[in-house]
Amino acid sequence: MLAAVTNFSAHATTYSVDKDHPSASNSNPGTESLPWSSIQKGANTVVAGDTVIVKTGNYNERVTFSSGHSGTAGNKVVFRAEPRRTVIMNGFDTERCDYLRIEGFEIDNNWGDGVHIQSDHCEVIDNYCHGMGGAGIGT
């Protein structure tokens, strides 16, 4: 009898976005000392288990997701504003990103939903939505 054992090791990464950092660039590795300049870069990069920490600032962007950037039941994709509600942005469209958690953003969007949920198992926690042309959180 032959038994095969395979160990899978999930390696979650925490990325940093800080558009006001003097070295911020989307060509950076997304570390605290070499952060990205846009939240969208995080959405284009994350895989299951990853976290994107977004630092204080006004980000004139609405984040969307492409295939392959969802979380899983045990490894959500997390986007977190730090400190809470000091990141002002236009919102999120969650299509193609299941198992997603969005925390602590100030969403000011006068043309649609603040967070438009088109995915399964999304958590929207402690966000402040205002100036909406649609719902704060819509489907």
Side-chain angles (χ1 to χ4, degrees):
M1 174 186 272
L2 178 63
V5 177
T6 304
N7 288 329
F8 291 98
S9 175
H11 184 267
T13 302
T14 298
Y15 295 106
S16 183
V17 177
D18 185 352
K19 71 177 211 60
D20 293 330
H21 188 284
S23 298
S25 170
N26 284 341
S27 62
N28 284 343
T31 62
E32 194 166 337
S33 60
L34 292 170
W36 293 323
S37 57
S38 74
I39 304 167
Q40 185 63 54
K41 172 65 175 175
N44 295 344
T45 304
V46 294
V47 294
D50 289 349
T51 298
V52 177
I53 304 297
V54 184
K55 299 296 185 175
T56 301
N58 286 315
Y59 294 81
N60 187 24
E61 52 185 304
R62 183 164 184 84
V63 176
T64 60
F65 296 88
S66 57
S67 296
H69 298 283
S70 287
T72 63
N75 292 297
K76 291 187 182 292
V77 165
V78 177
F79 281 76
R80 180 180 303 130
E82 288 187 1
R84 288 186 180 286
R85 296 197 204 116
T86 63
V87 174
I88 302 167
M89 48 100 66
N90 297 328
F92 292 85
D93 286 316
T94 71
E95 185 176 9
R96 295 182 294 276
C97 191
D98 296 330
Y99 295 99
L100 171 66
R101 183 178 176 107
I102 300 167
E103 299 180 33
F105 290 87
E106 181 178 341
I107 300 171
D108 185 359
N109 168 2
N110 63 9
W111 54 269
D113 297 339
V115 178
H116 190 78
I117 298 177
Q118 294 180 294
S119 298
D120 294 325
H121 309 286
C122 292
E123 299 174 355
V124 181
I125 309 292
D126 195 26
N127 296 280
Y128 173 50
C129 299
H130 59 92
M132 301 293 109
I137 301 170
T139 57

